[in-house]
Amino acid sequence: MHQDFLPPGIAVLTGAGISKESGIDTFRDEGGLWTRVDLEEVATIDAWFRDKKKVLDFYNETRRSFRAAHITPNEAHEALARLEREYGGEVTIITQNIDTLHEAAGSRKVIHMHGRDGEVRCMVCKTEFASDADLTPDSVCPNCQAVGELRPNIVWFGEMPMHLDEIYEVLERCGLFIAIGTSGEVYPAAGFVLHVRRRQPRARTVELNLEPTDNKTLFHEHIYGPATEIVPPYVTRILRQGWR
């Protein structure tokens, strides 16, 4: 297809619900991660300054547990990778998840608004790099040699999400916005659908979720059920029939 006639872009927002069926706990559900730990002690910048060892030990243990579980992409991740491969236009995944299951499934254009597992950032020089090594208060930045300033490259509570300028650019040129497995409660992600409706009046918005969210009225279409059951057939429908 000639590039001047590419179909409108598709923006896909994914949340914890898409990875739950791969074995990754959601945060807010009963039994989820934040019901078992005090987020104020391990997931804020104040906690890191107050007790770096405690915060880093928590993330070291969480990362090791994740690796040991050999968690793999599920059918929903794979369906979105297929959508990117076979759709004639732009497909961008905006994920709230720090896991890399989208990439493992084959998706290439993925924006991690809350950071990525397996990445580290220096608080002094802001260098970001891939690493699965345990972090301690004695860890040394390989770029600036600062000691004790390395942290997971993820967004803690109270911090600004990453790549927002890029995300809003994607939203403003999409013709289809799909929200998958996200609660619709956490901003700014919860406001993306309203942004699309306001800036792209002709865009279609679709909610694929386990159950209705608080902002369901902002979506033109709703399909409810487990992500592995509803995402693959929806992708097949788009590729065969389009989404208008």
Side-chain angles (χ1 to χ4, degrees):
M1 183 178 292
H2 193 281
Q3 63 178 2
D4 291 340
F5 299 97
L6 290 178
I10 297 175
V12 185
L13 172 66
T14 66
I18 196 170
S19 295
K20 183 176 183 178
E21 291 175 82
S22 287
I24 299 178
D25 283 343
T26 56
F27 292 111
R28 292 172 176 81
D29 289 348
E30 183 177 352
L33 184 59
W34 298 136
T35 68
R36 304 195 302 269
V37 298
D38 184 349
L39 66 88
E40 295 293 339
E41 296 296 320
V42 295
T44 67
I45 190 64
D46 289 340
W48 188 76
F49 282 121
R50 183 170 59 247
D51 191 341
K52 292 181 181 178
K53 184 178 186 305
K54 183 174 184 177
V55 171
L56 296 176
D57 284 349
F58 169 76
Y59 281 96
N60 291 336
E61 180 181 354
T62 301
R63 188 187 65 254
R64 285 195 298 268
S65 297
F66 178 80
R67 298 291 187 273
H70 301 293
I71 293 170
T72 58
N74 60 48
E75 293 91 337
H77 297 105
E78 292 166 354
L80 292 178
R82 177 192 173 205
L83 179 63
E84 182 180 348
R85 288 193 308 270
E86 299 182 15
Y87 183 67
E90 176 187 39
V91 176
T92 304
I93 295 175
I94 304 161
T95 186
Q96 297 168 277
N97 303 331
I98 66 170
D99 67 65
T100 56
L101 294 180
H102 284 299
E103 291 90 337
S107 293
R108 293 169 297 174
K109 189 166 185 183
V110 184
I111 302 174
H112 285 266
M113 62 181 295
H114 292 157
R116 270 176 64 133
D117 177 48
E119 289 186 349
V120 173
R121 178 165 86 245
C122 177
M123 291 290 284
V124 175
C125 67
K126 311 304 180 185
T127 298
E128 301 173 4
F129 57 94
S131 176
D132 273 337
D134 282 359
L135 295 177
T136 76
D138 297 320
S139 295
V140 179
C141 175
N143 183 61
C144 71
Q145 309 306 310
V147 178
E149 297 296 336
L150 295 182
R151 55 166 283 183
N153 191 32
I154 60 178
V155 174
W156 285 327
F157 287 91
E159 294 184 310
M160 184 66 68
M162 301 175 179
H163 313 300
L164 286 179
D165 288 346
E166 182 182 1
I167 288 170
Y168 283 113
E169 288 176 4
V170 169
L171 296 178
E172 293 192 8
R173 62 176 180 263
C174 77
L176 172 64
F177 174 79
I178 311 170
I180 303 174
T182 179
S183 67
E185 297 177 358
V186 181
Y187 285 83
F192 290 168
V193 62
L194 180 59
H195 186 86
V196 171
R197 293 291 299 266
R198 286 175 171 171
R199 301 299 292 268
Q200 294 279 67
R202 294 188 177 183
R204 185 164 181 80
T205 56
V206 180
E207 179 180 60
L208 306 180
N209 205 23
L210 191 60
E211 56 189 18
T213 59
D214 289 343
N215 55 9
K216 61 174 292 188
T217 58
L218 295 173
F219 292 93
H220 296 103
E221 184 176 359
H222 315 85
I223 303 174
Y224 300 121
T228 56
E229 295 180 11
I230 63 175
V231 176
Y234 182 73
V235 166
T236 296
R237 192 182 98 191
I238 291 175
L239 294 174
R240 289 180 179 175
Q241 305 173 10
W243 43 266
R244 289 293 184 184

